[in-house]
């Protein structure tokens, strides 16, 4: 049975729970290594090989994961049921396109592609082949994500902050696609409305791309989200506040604490006319292992894909809208003389 036939059988409801999913890893960097280790730990997955243009780096990960072979990409496709793409973002589209065209299931790290046209092509290829296309928005599997989406469904205003000290990893893309996209994805998960407009500002400081950004996103239903992201800060901070029909929610993701003021949950607050206060904490759990379990269940059992191509495209569209908003703001600043554009060398 070919990969395409296998995928079509699963899409039709065939249950393959009795076998392991043969997985090939593309990319032997930070995330590729973690993915390889999670495959080894998974009872439903089997690591069959690693591919990376840097063969020495691939060999290091291969040795750490039991001596699996380091293969060319065509050879990796030939011996795999599914491919996990953890290469730099600029290669996501081409690698995923080849894997889907070969009838292989794909888990591709975010962003799924560089353009919406590329995202649409990947979605079409996956549908035509009858295979799973899952996008690596890891926080969808986190306790914090469930804590917020389980309490908020009608937000009016959202304020999110995600800042961290500088690290070289991830600077092949802007902070919007590196960090802010996590909060954009979470906002999109609780706001059931298309984006109407985006006003954004950003600056490149330590890399060729924006390292700090702030976006104000207005949705067609009237909800507004203000999202700040930085990878050049002196400390790490991840917070979110939500004003909604259900009440007020404040979350500190670093402390793993959430407070909800509403009418449905928690202890009564005297003198507030019936409001209650709920305090929630959560313990860390292995979100990457949860992502792998979900991927295996979708590929082997036909389970619903939690972060499918449509979800990945929507997050990408929001991130690109922020990027375009930053460009528009910069153009206005240059036109007004507020900032002086760099001199172009001959």
């Amino acid at each position: 049975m070919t990969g395409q036939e296998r995928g079509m059988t699963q899409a039709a409801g065939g249950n393959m729970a009795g076998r392991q999913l043969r997985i090939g890893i593309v990319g032997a960097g930070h995330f590729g290594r973690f993915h390889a280790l999670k495959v080894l730990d998974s009872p439903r997955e089997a690591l069959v090989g690693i591919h990376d243009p840097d063969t020495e780096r691939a060999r290091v990960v291969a040795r750490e994961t039991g001596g699996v072979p380091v293969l060319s990409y065509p050879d990796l496709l030939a011996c795999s049921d599914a491919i996990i793409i953890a290469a730099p973002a600029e290669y996501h589209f081409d690698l995923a396109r080849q894997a889907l065209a070969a009838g292989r299931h794909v888990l591709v790290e975010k962003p799924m592609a560089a353009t919406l046209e590329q995202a649409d092509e990947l979605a079409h290829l996956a549908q035509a082949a009858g295979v799973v296309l899952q996008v690596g928005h890891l926080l969808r599997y986190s306790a914090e994500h469930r804590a917020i989406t389980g309490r908020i469904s009608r937000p009016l205003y959202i304020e999110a902050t995600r800042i961290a000290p500088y690290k070289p990893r991830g600077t092949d893309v802007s902070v919007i696609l590196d960090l802010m996209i996590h909060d954009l994805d979470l906002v999109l998960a609780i706001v059931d409305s298309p984006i109407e407009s985006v006003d954004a500002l950003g600056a490149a400081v330590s890399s060729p791309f924006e390292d700090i950004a702030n976006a104000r996103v207005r949705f067609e239903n009237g909800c507004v989200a203000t999202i700040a992201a930085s990878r050049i800060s002196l400390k790490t901070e991840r917070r979110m506040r939500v004003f909604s029909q259900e009440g007020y929610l404040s979350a500190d993701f670093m402390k793993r604490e959430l407070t909800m003021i509403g009418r449905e949950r928690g202890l009564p607050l005297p003198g507030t006319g019936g409001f209650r206060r709920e305090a929630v904490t959560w313990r860390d759990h292995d979100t990457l292992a949860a992502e792998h379990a979900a991927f295996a269940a979708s590929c082997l059992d036909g389970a619903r894909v939690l972060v499918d191509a449509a979800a990945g495209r929507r997050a990408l569209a929001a991130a690109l809208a922020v990027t375009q908003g930053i460009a528009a703001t910069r153009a206005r600043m240059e036109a007004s003389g507020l900032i002086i554009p760099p001199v172009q060398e001959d």
Side-chain angles (χ1 to χ4, degrees):
M1 179 182 291
T2 67
Q4 180 170 339
E5 290 168 339
R6 187 163 47 243
M8 294 177 69
T9 298
Q10 294 151 14
N15 191 304
M16 302 179 70
R19 63 181 296 270
Q20 285 187 309
L21 186 70
R22 298 178 301 165
I23 290 181
I25 303 290
V26 180
H30 180 78
F31 269 108
R33 173 180 174 271
F34 280 129
H35 276 295
L37 293 172
K38 292 308 170 189
V39 172
L40 282 185
D41 290 340
S42 171
R44 306 201 69 192
E45 298 175 331
L47 185 61
V48 298
I50 297 172
H51 169 72
D52 193 298
D54 186 337
T55 54
E56 183 52 40
R57 184 169 62 183
R59 289 191 185 99
V60 170
V61 177
R63 287 194 295 269
E64 188 177 3
T65 53
V68 296
V70 175
L71 302 171
S72 68
Y73 195 38
D75 288 343
L76 189 67
L77 289 174
C79 67
S80 301
D81 301 314
I83 296 293
I84 293 177
I85 298 171
E90 62 185 298
Y91 303 112
H92 286 183
F93 168 70
D94 188 55
L95 291 167
R97 180 185 58 79
Q98 292 182 60
L100 293 169
R104 302 300 182 257
H105 304 293
V106 170
L107 168 55
V108 57
E109 280 295 343
K110 53 82 183 166
M112 65 183 296
T115 68
L116 297 182
E117 291 76 17
Q118 290 179 350
D120 290 337
E121 182 175 344
L122 295 181
H124 173 74
L125 285 170
Q127 184 177 27
V131 294
V132 169
L133 173 56
Q134 180 173 315
V135 185
H137 286 282
L138 187 60
L139 293 187
R140 288 288 195 103
Y141 304 91
S142 67
E144 63 197 52
H145 192 281
R146 290 196 299 272
I148 293 176
T149 56
R151 288 166 174 80
I152 299 295
S153 62
R154 293 177 293 169
L156 309 176
Y157 175 73
I158 304 169
E159 184 180 274
T161 300
R162 184 178 296 264
I163 62 175
Y166 178 78
K167 295 179 181 178
R169 178 178 57 82
T171 53
D172 59 319
V173 294
S174 70
V175 72
I176 298 101
L177 292 173
D178 180 27
L179 297 181
M180 184 183 283
I181 197 168
H182 289 299
D183 290 314
L184 286 169
D185 182 59
L186 177 52
V187 167
L188 293 172
I190 59 178
V191 180
D192 186 19
S193 178
I195 292 175
E196 179 181 275
S197 64
V198 175
D199 187 16
L201 176 66
V205 180
S206 299
S207 76
F209 307 99
E210 289 86 6
D211 296 301
I212 185 168
N214 182 281
R216 185 175 179 86
V217 182
R218 183 176 295 278
F219 293 87
E220 290 182 4
N221 67 358
C223 178
V224 173
T226 300
I227 306 171
S230 170
R231 58 188 179 196
I232 53 169
S233 299
L234 296 178
K235 63 178 181 178
T236 299
E237 182 179 323
R238 292 176 50 225
R239 296 177 180 271
M240 180 172 283
R241 296 194 302 159
V242 184
F243 300 85
S244 74
Q245 286 290 299
E246 294 92 347
Y248 167 75
L249 181 148
S250 176
D252 185 326
F253 300 129
M254 300 302 297
K255 294 182 178 179
R256 305 178 190 89
E257 296 175 351
L258 178 152
T259 300
M260 178 82 179
I261 307 296
R263 295 185 181 275
E264 302 296 328
R265 303 169 182 252
L267 299 176
L269 285 174
T272 61
F275 282 95
R276 295 173 173 270
R277 180 182 185 274
E278 180 190 21
V280 178
T281 60
W282 59 84
R283 287 183 292 181
D284 279 336
H285 74 276
D286 195 330
T287 53
L288 189 58
E291 181 181 59
H292 274 253
F295 184 54
S298 295
C299 296
L300 296 173
D301 307 334
R304 181 180 72 88
V305 183
L306 178 61
V307 191
D308 59 9
R313 185 192 192 279
R314 194 177 181 210
L316 176 63
L320 292 176
V322 172
T323 302
Q324 292 162 5
I326 290 174
T329 298
R330 182 176 182 85
R332 289 197 299 271
M333 289 178 170
E334 290 181 354
S336 71
L338 180 60
I339 59 174
I340 300 173
V343 177
Q344 299 293 326
E345 296 182 0
D346 294 333

